[in-house]
């Protein structure tokens, strides 16, 4: 009993002493001169470092105030997931290439210990939440912190970290998942999903010679790092894909990504607040990537911010041409991106912040684009994706029906020479609607679709000829009669 009472009195005295020390320290810091306090803090840090002989190095997820992803962070994450994940008690699981294999990595606020060259090195995963301004949402910033004894400083900084980065990058290449990024609606950063589109150039409904030309151009770009450095240009290339809807522009982009093994950044301009945010999104993209702006003519009214629109006569305001498409108004979208900002995004100083990138614009109406967007040097290669040719049909027949030849190919070829049909409609006709539908029935469906398209062309031609007047009607009527005679002969061929 006596010993217990003595212990309690000792603890009580200790608590009183601590409270008195805290009170006195607060008084000293409150009334001492600032110079004396700074000197005291300096000596306090030195004493603390003497008794705490450990060094800490932080590796953040982003560099330069969230402007660019930190390559070392991803490499460290890959290294720890393979070599040290077994020691961690809190793990995060992800799939590789969408398959059943799981890759385990350290979860937030978990720590593991590594051994290298006789030194024990501790890794800690963490996360901080910051708000850059009151107008922007909170942003999460992840980091890894490595702690080691100061006597191993040279070994860790010169050898160990280099070993971790090199090994981590090798693991990344083995487990790499291509990603599809988007800035989404009202998002100021990129979000992503795994990119698993199966399109290849072999499956594209396009002439073989044209495909070879595009593939050769892409492969040459991928191997041209030294060439671009020698000529003093940023390692990037622009592609303009244009043509009617349904001609395979998006499929072409997927085939490009699969050929080069690049990530895809699908940029929605209407979700970008202003030019500053556009530059920041560009800086956050990685190398080996394709940046896509689809339907560039419909995204924002970019030309109107550089030159004043001409006033249309009253009769033109009331009637719309068939080429007009709905355009999202800049004020409605809340975006203040200008043509100048977009041009700087493509080939300004900021475009060189990361190498080996392809920028792709798609449009249905190339004549609506400002010439400054499409000139050589910005959009280096213009690729027209037009109506389906017979060579393109042969590719689709091979893909959908496993056919290299068929008696119905001849009438289809004759119809395609006289009829415009997009690859999407051809593919829809060749798609079997039931297990009982064989290749012949699918080809007959396509022939019917081609005949309907041809009848519509004939009807449209007659209406246009009637609008032209009597002097031009005879010549147009002869052409239309030839088309009708050709259609009648094809009817007899397919019936036989």
């Amino acid at each position: 009993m006596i010993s217990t009472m003595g212990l309690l009195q000792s603890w009580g005295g200790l608590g009183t002493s601590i409270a008195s020390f805290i009170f006195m320290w607060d008084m000293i810091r409150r009334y001492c001169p600032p110079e004396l306090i700074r000197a005291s803090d300096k000596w306090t840090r030195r004493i603390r470092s003497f008794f705490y002989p450990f060094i800490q190095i932080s590796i953040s997820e982003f560099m330069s105030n969230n402007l660019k992803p930190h390559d070392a962070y991803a490499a460290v994450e890959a290294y720890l997931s393979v070599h040290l994940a077994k020691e961690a008690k809190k793990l995060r699981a992800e799939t590789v290439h969408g398959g059943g294999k799981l890759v385990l990595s350290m979860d937030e606020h978990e720590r593991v210990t590594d051994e290298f060259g006789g030194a024990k090195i501790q890794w800690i995963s963490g996360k901080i939440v910051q708000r850059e301004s009151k107008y922007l949402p909170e942003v999460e910033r992840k980091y890894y912190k490595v702690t080691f004894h100061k006597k191993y400083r040279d070994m860790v900084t010169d050898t160990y970290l280099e070993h971790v980065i090199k090994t981590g990058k090798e693991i990344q290449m083995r487990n790499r998942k291509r990603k599809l990024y988007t800035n989404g609606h009202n998002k100021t950063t990129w979000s992503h999903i795994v990119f698993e589109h199966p399109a290849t150039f072999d499956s594209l409904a396009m002439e073989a010679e044209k495909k070879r030309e595009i593939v050769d151009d892409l492969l040459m770009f991928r191997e041209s790092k030294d060439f671009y450095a020698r000529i003093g240009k940023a390692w990037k290339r622009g592609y303009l894909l244009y043509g009617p809807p349904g001609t395979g522009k998006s499929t072409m982009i997927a085939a490009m990504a699969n050929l080069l093994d690049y990530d895809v950044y699908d940029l929605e301009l209407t979700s970008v607040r202003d030019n500053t945010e556009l530059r920041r999104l560009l800086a956050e993209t990685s190398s080996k990537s394709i940046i896509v702006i689809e339907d560039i003519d419909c995204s924002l009214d970019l030309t109107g911010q550089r030159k004043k629109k001409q006033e249309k006569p009253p009769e033109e305001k009331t009637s719309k041409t068939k080429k007009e498409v709905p355009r999202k108004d800049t004020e409605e979208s809340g975006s203040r991106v200008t043509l100048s900002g977009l041009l700087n995004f493509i080939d300004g100083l900021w475009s060189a912040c990361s190498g080996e990138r392809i920028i792709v614009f798609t449009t249905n109406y190339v004549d609506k684009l400002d010439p400054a967007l499409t000139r050589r040097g910005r959009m280096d290669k213009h690729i027209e994706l037009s109506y389906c040719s017979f060579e393109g049909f042969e590719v689709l027949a091979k893909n959908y029906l496993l056919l290299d030849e068929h008696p119905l190919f001849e009438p289809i070829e004759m119809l395609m020479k006289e009829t415009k049909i997009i690859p999407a409609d051809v593919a829809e006709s060749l798609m079997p609607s039931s297990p009982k539908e064989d290749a012949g029935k699918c080809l007959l469906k396509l022939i019917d679709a081609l005949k309907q398209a041809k009848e519509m062309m004939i009807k449209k031609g007659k209406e246009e000829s009637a609008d032209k007047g009597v002097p031009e009607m005879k010549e147009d009527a002869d052409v239309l009669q030839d088309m009708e005679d050709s259609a009648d002969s094809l009817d007899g061929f397919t019936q036989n």
Side-chain angles (χ1 to χ4, degrees), residues 138-150:
E138 293 182 342
V139 178
E140 293 184 354
R141 300 175 186 269
K142 298 178 183 178
Y143 64 88
Y144 284 108
K145 186 177 293 184
V146 56
T147 305
F148 53 92
H149 197 281
K150 63 181 181 182

Side-chain angles (χ1 to χ4, degrees), residues 178 195-200 253-262 290:
R178 276 199 312 281
F195 181 76
E196 298 177 319
H197 201 293
T200 64
I253 294 170
M256 293 167 67
N258 288 329
L259 174 70
L260 300 174
D261 198 22
Y262 283 5
I290 300 175

Side-chain angles (χ1 to χ4, degrees), residues 16-239:
T16 303
S17 300
I18 293 174
S20 301
F21 176 78
I22 294 174
F23 175 76
M24 293 298 297
W25 184 252
D26 182 64
M27 291 296 102
I28 291 172
R29 295 188 66 86
R30 184 175 299 180
Y31 295 106
C32 278
E35 294 81 5
L36 182 59
I37 293 177
R38 284 196 293 268
S40 174
D41 291 341
K42 177 181 178 180
W43 284 102
T44 300
R45 287 193 297 270
R46 288 187 178 182
I47 295 171
R48 187 187 301 124
S49 64
F50 179 80
F51 288 101
Y52 184 79
F54 293 97
I55 297 175
Q56 291 183 343
I57 300 176
S58 295
I59 301 176
S60 301
E61 185 179 10
F62 295 99
M63 299 171 57
S64 305
N65 194 26
N66 200 26
L67 283 180
K68 185 178 179 181
H70 202 315
D71 293 337
Y73 177 88
V76 168
E77 186 174 44
Y79 175 85
L80 295 178
S81 67
V82 172
H83 292 275
L84 302 178
K86 294 180 180 179
E87 298 183 14
K89 296 181 180 180
K90 293 173 60 180
L91 297 170
R92 182 175 67 251
E94 295 180 343
T95 58
V96 176
H97 293 295
K101 183 180 178 182
L102 292 177
V103 174
L104 301 179
S105 58
M106 292 169 55
D107 204 354
E108 298 167 5
H109 308 298
E110 183 63 358
R111 62 181 65 200
V112 293
T113 302
D114 194 12
E115 291 188 7
F116 185 85
K120 289 190 175 181
I121 303 165
Q122 188 177 72
W123 288 92
I124 303 172
S125 64
K127 179 184 71 174
I128 57 176
V129 180
Q130 293 181 340
R131 186 189 296 271
E132 296 180 359
S133 72
K134 63 180 180 180
Y135 302 105
L136 297 176
E138 293 182 342
V139 178
E140 293 184 354
R141 300 175 186 269
K142 298 178 183 178
Y143 64 88
Y144 284 108
K145 186 177 293 184
V146 56
T147 305
F148 53 92
H149 197 281
K150 63 181 181 182
K151 68 181 179 180
Y152 299 114
R153 180 182 189 127
D154 293 339
M155 186 266 291
V156 171
T157 55
D158 296 339
T159 307
Y160 175 70
L161 290 180
E162 182 179 348
H163 162 73
V164 169
I165 301 302
K166 180 180 178 181
T167 307
K169 288 185 176 180
E170 292 174 355
I171 296 170
Q172 281 182 289
M173 291 304 296
R174 292 199 302 264
N175 298 334
R176 185 174 184 269
K177 298 177 292 184
R178 276 199 312 281
K179 297 176 181 178
L180 173 61
Y181 292 84
T182 180
N183 57 318
H185 180 62
N186 293 331
K187 288 186 178 180
T188 58
T189 58
W190 295 105
S191 58
H192 70 268
I193 59 173
V194 177
F195 181 76
E196 298 177 319
H197 201 293
T200 64
F201 276 92
D202 291 337
S203 63
L204 284 180
M206 184 185 294
E207 296 80 0
E209 183 179 353
K210 191 172 184 179
K211 283 196 283 190
R212 281 195 300 270
E213 178 187 344
I214 298 170
V215 169
D216 291 344
D217 188 82
L218 290 167
L219 294 178
M220 185 173 66
F221 166 79
R222 189 176 62 180
E223 305 300 327
S224 299
K225 180 179 180 179
D226 295 337
F227 170 77
Y228 279 89
R230 187 174 74 246
I231 64 176
K233 289 184 63 177
W235 189 11
K236 65 175 186 60
R237 189 160 177 81
Y239 286 78

Side-chain angles (χ1 to χ4, degrees), residues 431-439 441-442 445:
M431 176 76 74
S433 57
S434 69
K436 297 181 179 179
E437 195 169 44
D438 59 12
K441 291 182 179 179
C442 293
K445 280 196 307 181

Side-chain angles (χ1 to χ4, degrees), residues 479-495:
V479 175
L480 294 174
Q481 186 62 46
D482 292 340
M483 293 179 67
E484 290 176 347
D485 293 342
S486 176
D488 293 338
S489 63
L490 282 169
D491 286 339
F493 183 92
T494 54
Q495 287 172 3

Side-chain angles (χ1 to χ4, degrees), residues 397-420:
K398 179 67 174 178
N399 294 341
Y400 282 79
L401 305 176
L402 302 178
L403 289 178
D404 291 318
E405 57 182 17
H406 193 277
L408 291 177
F409 277 18
E410 184 178 347
I412 290 174
E413 183 177 9
M414 294 174 62
L415 280 167
M416 281 189 161
K417 289 179 180 179
E418 303 172 348
T419 309
K420 292 181 179 180

